[in-house]
Amino acid sequence: MSEPRPSDRHDASDPDDTFEEIVDEATQRDPDLAVIEAGSRTLRAHSGHPQGEAVPARPADPETDKALRAVEQELAGRWGETKLEPSVTRIAALMDVLGEPQRAYPSIHITGTNGKTSTARMIEALLNAFELRTGRYTSPHVQSITERISLDGSPIEPERFIETYEDVKPYVEMVDAQQPYRLSFFEVLTGMAYAAFADAPVDVAVVEVGMGGTWDATNVIDSTVAVVTPISLDHTDRLGTTPAEIAGEKAGVIKQGATVILAQQPVDAAQVMLKKAVEVDATVAREGMEFGVTSREIAVGGQLLTLRGLGGEYEGVFLPLYGAHQAHNAAVALAAVEAFFGIGAEQARSLDIDAIRKAFASVLSPGRLEVVRSSPTVVLDAAHNPAGAKAAADGISEAFSFSRLIGVVGTSGDKDARGLLEAFEPIFAEIVVTQNSTPRAMDADELAAVAVEVFGDDRVQVEPRLDDALEAAITLAEEDDEYAGAGVLVTGSVITVGEARLLLGRG
């Protein structure tokens, strides 16, 4: 197995849980994997347990599973997430008949093109570390629909998901009857999330937009903090064909008097955001100016960071995720939580460093450069656009020392497949083209035609079934002793990654 490169300057061993003892515990497992996991655990020695179960399995109780499947089937009968009528009219009507549950708690609203879910998870972990009860709403899900609605860092229990759906269902049907179009799949889930958060009740909601911002279904909250992760080209048929046009849609989450946490952006996108902030008298904190990543070094199981926040510098922060992009997400998340607590504007102080370290060390982000198998190493990453692919390619090149990397790629039909493949071309020795099981998937043969133009015919293999594609890629990685350090990266779509995760026994 090719292992992440450890830092030679960081020693976080603990006398009660030593590196050597943990390695000894794993003697029946792959020795390289044992070393990596031991390093990660020792770095986490003083940081408590990770966030709750990130990707839940199907309910063990047959009746609960049957009821959850019935809810999923009813939701699937509505407009899917890619069919939109750009308006918040229907979701606003639903909030009205539900009694405006989204106004029962303050919220942090996250938009952008890439990094939204990872940033949301980090924000959630930080808020939990300060003993606040959180609700988190993210999309899409990796494996289970219940992942989208989380309470205190854990996906909502299936029973509670079903109960929430049954509670809002009569009101959904009432709004359906009054509107020209029925509420969509995403709108109903958004209503469920806001209702579940009010019922919990939560102290703060962390909400990721589904698409855009202005007319996104989530945009019926009055968030005190708006977070904008990096903007790049995606959903160009709906949001615009330039970063500036896309930024114009996403700027809709910036509310009157709010604080805007702005990640590094293309110049034209940043200008649009700053103009919107001026219009609504919002305060702006910019990455690279008011906050940012001061230093980072590769560490066993992730990276060691020094972050500059709105209230000062935070040293020795271990983040168990790979890639420079995750370090930048961490800086954005930290600034967002500082802003939520009024630091930088109302207060000149730093947050407790031990709580910050504990929170970041607990972060999980399934399907984001996630190692799910060893011998050979199989990594999953949900990159689905060129910018995300570039970040993933850079991250895997930095953190892993693969002698040869095989790609398994299955994309959605509405994505920039060529741009994604071009971003991965420098790091893939060979590519196995496939497709996931959803109607949105790009046909494997169609994707293969693009891949041949990018990689050349001799580096492309086509396996329409994902299980066959995984087997083929693993075989390629194992085929010769010369390539003992070979690995596999599965990517192209959150759906492809989720299905691969199940096939590889992580569900």
Coordinates of all heavy atoms in Angstrom, one line a residue, residues 241-275:
T241 N -22.6 31.4 -17.4 CA -21.4 30.8 -18.1 C -20.1 31.4 -17.7 O -19.1 31.0 -18.3 CB -21.6 30.9 -19.7 OG1 -21.8 32.3 -20.0 CG2 -22.8 30.1 -20.1
T242 N -20.1 32.3 -16.8 CA -18.9 32.9 -16.3 C -18.9 32.9 -14.7 O -20.0 32.9 -14.1 CB -18.7 34.4 -16.7 OG1 -19.7 35.2 -16.1 CG2 -18.8 34.5 -18.3
P243 N -17.8 32.9 -14.1 CA -17.8 33.0 -12.6 C -18.6 34.2 -12.1 O -19.2 34.1 -11.1 CB -16.3 33.2 -12.3 CG -15.6 32.4 -13.4 CD -16.4 32.8 -14.6
A244 N -18.5 35.3 -12.8 CA -19.3 36.5 -12.4 C -20.8 36.3 -12.4 O -21.5 36.7 -11.5 CB -18.9 37.7 -13.3
E245 N -21.3 35.6 -13.5 CA -22.7 35.4 -13.6 C -23.1 34.4 -12.5 O -24.2 34.6 -11.9 CB -23.0 34.8 -15.0 CG -22.9 35.8 -16.1 CD -23.2 35.2 -17.5 OE1 -23.3 33.9 -17.5 OE2 -23.3 35.9 -18.5
I246 N -22.3 33.4 -12.3 CA -22.6 32.4 -11.2 C -22.6 33.1 -9.9 O -23.5 32.8 -9.0 CB -21.7 31.2 -11.3 CG1 -21.9 30.4 -12.6 CG2 -21.8 30.3 -10.1 CD1 -20.8 29.4 -12.9
A247 N -21.6 33.9 -9.6 CA -21.6 34.7 -8.4 C -22.8 35.5 -8.2 O -23.3 35.7 -7.0 CB -20.3 35.5 -8.3
G248 N -23.3 36.1 -9.2 CA -24.5 36.9 -9.1 C -25.7 36.1 -8.5 O -26.5 36.6 -7.7
E249 N -25.8 34.8 -8.9 CA -26.9 34.0 -8.4 C -26.6 33.6 -6.9 O -27.5 33.6 -6.1 CB -27.0 32.7 -9.2 CG -27.6 32.9 -10.6 CD -29.1 33.4 -10.5 OE1 -29.7 33.1 -9.5 OE2 -29.6 34.0 -11.5
K250 N -25.3 33.2 -6.7 CA -25.0 32.8 -5.3 C -25.0 33.9 -4.3 O -25.2 33.7 -3.1 CB -23.6 32.1 -5.4 CG -23.6 30.8 -6.2 CD -22.3 30.1 -6.2 CE -22.3 28.9 -7.1 NZ -23.2 27.8 -6.6
A251 N -24.8 35.2 -4.8 CA -24.8 36.3 -3.8 C -26.2 36.5 -3.2 O -26.3 37.2 -2.2 CB -24.4 37.6 -4.6
G252 N -27.2 35.8 -3.7 CA -28.5 35.9 -3.1 C -28.6 35.5 -1.6 O -29.6 35.8 -1.0
V253 N -27.6 34.7 -1.2 CA -27.7 34.3 0.2 C -27.2 35.3 1.2 O -27.3 35.2 2.4 CB -26.8 33.0 0.5 CG1 -27.2 31.9 -0.5 CG2 -25.3 33.3 0.3
I254 N -26.6 36.4 0.7 CA -26.1 37.5 1.5 C -27.3 38.4 2.0 O -27.9 39.1 1.2 CB -25.0 38.3 0.8 CG1 -23.9 37.4 0.4 CG2 -24.5 39.4 1.7 CD1 -22.8 38.1 -0.5
K255 N -27.6 38.4 3.3 CA -28.7 39.1 3.8 C -28.3 40.5 4.4 O -27.1 40.7 4.7 CB -29.4 38.3 4.8 CG -29.9 36.9 4.3 CD -30.9 37.1 3.2 CE -31.6 35.8 2.9 NZ -30.8 34.7 2.5
Q256 N -29.2 41.3 4.6 CA -29.0 42.6 5.2 C -28.2 42.6 6.5 O -28.7 41.9 7.4 CB -30.3 43.4 5.4 CG -30.2 44.8 5.9 CD -29.8 45.7 4.7 OE1 -30.2 45.5 3.6 NE2 -29.0 46.8 5.1
G257 N -27.1 43.2 6.6 CA -26.3 43.3 7.8 C -25.6 42.1 8.2 O -25.0 42.0 9.3
A258 N -25.5 41.1 7.3 CA -24.9 39.8 7.7 C -23.3 40.0 7.6 O -22.8 41.0 7.1 CB -25.3 38.7 6.7
T259 N -22.6 38.9 8.0 CA -21.2 38.8 7.8 C -20.9 37.8 6.7 O -21.5 36.7 6.7 CB -20.4 38.4 9.0 OG1 -20.7 39.4 10.1 CG2 -19.0 38.3 8.8
V260 N -20.1 38.2 5.7 CA -19.8 37.3 4.6 C -18.4 36.8 4.7 O -17.5 37.6 4.8 CB -19.9 38.1 3.2 CG1 -19.7 37.1 2.1 CG2 -21.3 38.7 3.1
I261 N -18.3 35.5 4.7 CA -17.0 34.8 4.8 C -16.6 34.4 3.4 O -17.3 33.5 2.8 CB -16.9 33.6 5.7 CG1 -17.4 34.1 7.1 CG2 -15.5 33.0 5.8 CD1 -16.5 35.2 7.8
L262 N -15.7 35.1 2.7 CA -15.4 34.9 1.3 C -14.1 34.1 1.1 O -13.0 34.6 1.4 CB -15.4 36.3 0.6 CG -15.4 36.3 -0.9 CD1 -16.8 35.8 -1.4 CD2 -15.3 37.8 -1.3
A263 N -14.2 32.9 0.6 CA -13.0 32.1 0.2 C -12.4 32.8 -1.0 O -12.9 33.7 -1.6 CB -13.4 30.7 -0.1
Q264 N -11.2 32.3 -1.3 CA -10.4 32.9 -2.4 C -11.3 32.6 -3.7 O -11.8 31.5 -3.9 CB -9.1 32.2 -2.6 CG -8.1 32.6 -1.5 CD -6.8 31.9 -1.6 OE1 -6.6 30.9 -2.3 NE2 -5.8 32.4 -0.9
Q265 N -11.4 33.7 -4.5 CA -12.4 33.6 -5.7 C -11.7 34.2 -6.9 O -10.7 35.0 -6.8 CB -13.6 34.5 -5.4 CG -14.4 34.1 -4.1 CD -15.1 32.8 -4.3 OE1 -15.2 32.3 -5.3 NE2 -15.6 32.3 -3.1
P266 N -12.2 33.8 -8.1 CA -11.8 34.5 -9.3 C -12.1 36.0 -9.1 O -13.1 36.4 -8.5 CB -12.7 33.9 -10.4 CG -13.1 32.5 -9.9 CD -13.1 32.7 -8.4
V267 N -11.4 36.9 -9.7 CA -11.5 38.3 -9.5 C -12.9 38.8 -9.8 O -13.5 39.5 -9.0 CB -10.5 39.1 -10.3 CG1 -10.8 40.6 -10.2 CG2 -9.1 38.8 -9.8
D268 N -13.5 38.3 -10.9 CA -14.8 38.8 -11.3 C -15.9 38.3 -10.4 O -16.8 39.1 -10.1 CB -15.1 38.5 -12.8 CG -15.0 37.0 -13.1 OD1 -14.4 36.2 -12.2 OD2 -15.5 36.5 -14.2
A269 N -15.7 37.1 -9.8 CA -16.7 36.6 -8.9 C -16.6 37.4 -7.6 O -17.6 37.8 -7.0 CB -16.5 35.1 -8.6
A270 N -15.4 37.7 -7.1 CA -15.2 38.4 -5.9 C -15.8 39.8 -6.0 O -16.4 40.3 -5.1 CB -13.7 38.5 -5.6
Q271 N -15.7 40.5 -7.2 CA -16.2 41.8 -7.4 C -17.7 41.8 -7.2 O -18.3 42.7 -6.6 CB -15.8 42.3 -8.7 CG -14.3 42.7 -8.8 CD -13.9 43.0 -10.3 OE1 -14.6 42.6 -11.2 NE2 -12.8 43.8 -10.4
V272 N -18.4 40.8 -7.8 CA -19.8 40.7 -7.6 C -20.2 40.5 -6.2 O -21.2 41.1 -5.7 CB -20.3 39.5 -8.5 CG1 -21.8 39.2 -8.2 CG2 -20.1 39.7 -10.0
M273 N -19.5 39.7 -5.5 CA -19.9 39.4 -4.1 C -19.7 40.7 -3.2 O -20.5 41.0 -2.4 CB -19.0 38.3 -3.5 CG -19.3 36.9 -4.0 SD -20.9 36.4 -3.4 CE -21.2 34.9 -4.3
L274 N -18.6 41.4 -3.5 CA -18.3 42.6 -2.7 C -19.4 43.7 -3.0 O -19.8 44.4 -2.1 CB -16.9 43.1 -3.0 CG -15.8 42.3 -2.5 CD1 -14.4 42.7 -3.1 CD2 -15.7 42.2 -1.0
K275 N -19.8 43.8 -4.3 CA -20.8 44.8 -4.6 C -22.1 44.4 -3.9 O -22.8 45.3 -3.4 CB -21.0 44.7 -6.1 CG -22.1 45.7 -6.6 CD -22.3 45.7 -8.1 CE -23.4 46.6 -8.5 NZ -23.6 46.6 -10.0

